[in-house]
Amino acid sequence: MSKTLGNVVDPLDTIKEFGTDALRFTLALGTAGQDLNLSTERLTSNKAFTNKLWNAGKFILQNLPNENDTSAWEKILSYKFDSEGTVVNLPLPECWVVSKLHLLIESVSASYDKFYFGEVGREIYDFFWADFADWYIEASKGRLYHSGVGGNSVASVAQAVLLYTFENILKVLHPFMPFVTEELWQALPNRKHALIVSPWPETQLPRNIGSVKKFENLQALVRAIRNARAEYFVEPAKRISASVVANKEVIDYIAEEREVLALLSRLDLQNLEFTDSSPGMISTELFALHGNADQSVHLVAGEGLEAYLPLADMVDISAEIERLSKRLSKMQKEYDALKSKLNSPQFVEKAPEAVVRGVQEKATEAEEKINLTKKRLELLK
């Protein structure tokens, strides 16, 4: 920043626009010993992070039982996540997020001790946004909404894990964002002390690496289905059928979380089935579901984990054929124009080498897209 250049950032104006916590967090994410580009984009991003944190807190508060509901709170507080037995016996999504939280606490505690504040901030940001908010909160909605707040044990374990994970996120994030974390902490039920004087989380807490890997398999499957839905322009609200194929061990734990899989992937729970048949030996039930195995989108989510999505469920086949035919015609014209350029000696000899290479790369890419579109059309026909 320079007064001569007139680009000095007034911290009071910045706080007014983005908030104190967003400014502190942005400054702390810099790497020690290096200059920090204090851009509006960074501040805007970290203001969004603060809002996301606030909204997560509101969601959790809305889905906890009333403070006067003693029996519901007794059930929630009975879960002690410092016990290996409790963690291992949690359902897969809960075991995954608690294990990831315990790994995070250990990692950020070590980084705090070494004054690696930028690394601490980035790790907390990634865990909160990518793991807790994007995955666990979404997965918990099925347990909370279908079971009723304070209802059965499925709901209470989700409530206990949401509260425990969020409490610890607030603790490790507090040095960066003291104001919003303190406000959220004191809004949670049964707070005996302010966050600033609460004990730091323990390290060396139990974690189950096997469950982390299992849930990563489930995530890979969800991503594959979401990508297929996007590729075929399936309406977000539309529920589709699916068949998951894997070995028995994988099928057992994926099938156990069928509600979570259906919720996160927008699948029709009534038409979701699991089999350990190999892809070449799909069962009669699968054929009945798909109508025709060739008329299904085949997804490979990971080694030994696949899925089949019936095309008829996802698209209007005749409309899709028409759309792809038009797209193919357009791509073919673009490809022909590129090839025409490359076949012209005048262009190849006189144009700079970098330009010719760029046209060759575009032609190769266009050819690949044409081949893929042709294959998809053949599949549909």
Side-chain angles (χ1 to χ4, degrees):
M1 294 189 288
S2 162
K3 284 185 179 179
T4 307
L5 294 174
N7 65 348
V8 175
V9 177
D10 186 323
L12 295 180
D13 291 340
T14 307
I15 287 168
K16 194 173 181 180
E17 184 176 355
F18 299 100
T20 309
D21 285 324
L23 176 59
R24 284 173 61 100
F25 194 59
T26 304
L27 292 171
L29 286 180
T31 304
Q34 294 183 9
D35 289 341
L36 172 70
N37 177 16
L38 188 62
S39 64
T40 303
E41 289 76 15
R42 285 177 186 238
L43 289 162
T44 302
S45 171
N46 291 323
K47 181 181 179 182
F49 176 67
T50 312
N51 289 339
K52 188 84 170 176
L53 191 71
W54 185 263
N55 288 333
K58 278 177 62 180
F59 170 82
I60 292 164
L61 283 167
Q62 287 166 359
N63 286 284
L64 288 174
N66 189 290
E67 279 193 73
N68 298 325
D69 191 343
T70 311
S71 62
W73 274 104
E74 280 177 0
K75 196 177 286 185
I76 290 170
L77 298 174
S78 68
Y79 291 97
K80 304 298 179 188
F81 300 103
D82 56 353
S83 154
E84 189 169 345
T86 303
V87 173
V88 170
N89 290 319
L90 288 170
L92 182 58
E94 283 72 21
C95 187
W96 166 76
V97 78
V98 169
S99 296
K100 291 273 283 187
L101 172 70
H102 290 171
L103 289 166
L104 173 81
I105 292 169
E106 188 172 326
S107 177
V108 299
S109 297
S111 294
Y112 266 125
D113 289 342
K114 295 173 185 174
F115 306 109
Y116 295 165
F117 301 124
E119 190 60 35
V120 172
R122 283 184 285 275
E123 283 191 63
I124 298 171
Y125 183 101
D126 289 343
F127 173 77
F128 169 74
W129 201 302
D131 292 331
F132 184 63
D134 283 358
W135 285 95
Y136 184 66
I137 282 183
E138 292 306 309
S140 73
K141 288 177 181 177
R143 309 202 191 290
L144 297 170
Y145 299 160
H146 299 154
S147 305
V149 175
N152 62 29
S153 58
V154 176
S156 63
V157 71
Q159 291 167 328
V161 169
L162 282 167
L163 183 60
Y164 173 74
T165 308
F166 192 62
E167 281 178 344
N168 282 286
I169 288 170
L170 295 180
K171 285 182 179 183
V172 295
L173 191 57
H174 185 64
F176 290 91
M177 295 182 154
F179 299 104
V180 68
T181 53
E182 187 70 71
E183 187 77 15
L184 286 165
W185 174 270
Q186 295 197 27
L188 294 172
N190 306 312
R191 299 302 98 181
K192 294 177 182 176
H193 306 287
L195 177 56
I196 196 169
V197 294
S198 293
W200 189 256
E202 291 180 31
T203 55
Q204 299 297 323
L205 289 163
R207 74 289 309 261
N208 188 301
I209 302 304
S211 290
V212 172
K213 290 178 180 174
K214 286 177 182 178
F215 193 79
E216 284 171 356
N217 263 352
L218 182 64
Q219 286 177 303
L221 181 58
V222 170
R223 288 191 189 101
I225 295 170
R226 285 175 174 176
N227 290 341
R229 290 178 65 107
E231 197 177 340
Y232 284 90
F233 303 100
V234 182
E235 292 175 9
K238 186 174 184 182
R239 300 277 177 175
I240 61 173
S241 308
S243 295
V244 180
V245 182
N247 63 50
K248 190 173 186 312
E249 182 191 353
V250 175
I251 283 296
D252 284 347
Y253 67 76
I254 295 283
E256 197 170 331
E257 295 301 332
R258 63 177 68 230
E259 288 86 1
V260 171
L261 175 62
L263 177 71
L264 298 178
S265 307
R266 291 285 181 185
L267 298 178
D268 180 358
L269 195 55
Q270 304 306 314
N271 286 307
L272 171 59
E273 73 162 30
F274 303 86
T275 178
D276 56 2
S277 301
S278 65
M281 298 173 63
I282 302 176
S283 66
T284 310
E285 289 84 356
L286 282 176
F287 279 114
L289 176 60
H290 296 312
N292 181 345
D294 292 333
Q295 289 278 307
S296 298
V297 178
H298 176 212
L299 307 175
V300 179
E303 192 175 343
L305 178 59
E306 304 171 39
Y308 290 83
L309 310 178
L311 273 172
D313 250 22
M314 297 200 292
V315 294
D316 179 332
I317 292 179
S318 58
E320 184 67 4
I321 288 173
E322 186 180 346
R323 186 184 72 82
L324 287 176
S325 298
K326 287 179 182 176
R327 185 177 164 192
L328 180 61
S329 177
K330 184 181 177 183
M331 287 192 294
Q332 190 67 53
K333 284 178 184 176
E334 290 171 357
Y335 175 71
D336 291 343
L338 292 168
K339 289 300 286 183
S340 178
K341 263 189 178 183
L342 292 170
N343 291 333
S344 166
Q346 191 175 5
F347 172 74
V348 175
E349 290 167 12
K350 291 186 177 180
E353 188 181 336
V355 173
V356 175
R357 189 166 57 250
V359 173
Q360 286 172 335
E361 287 172 359
K362 283 182 181 177
T364 304
E365 187 181 339
E367 188 176 15
E368 288 174 1
K369 287 181 178 178
I370 286 169
N371 290 333
L372 284 170
T373 305
K374 282 180 177 177
K375 284 179 183 176
R376 190 177 293 176
L377 271 169
E378 285 171 16
L379 175 67
L380 291 169
K381 290 174 181 177

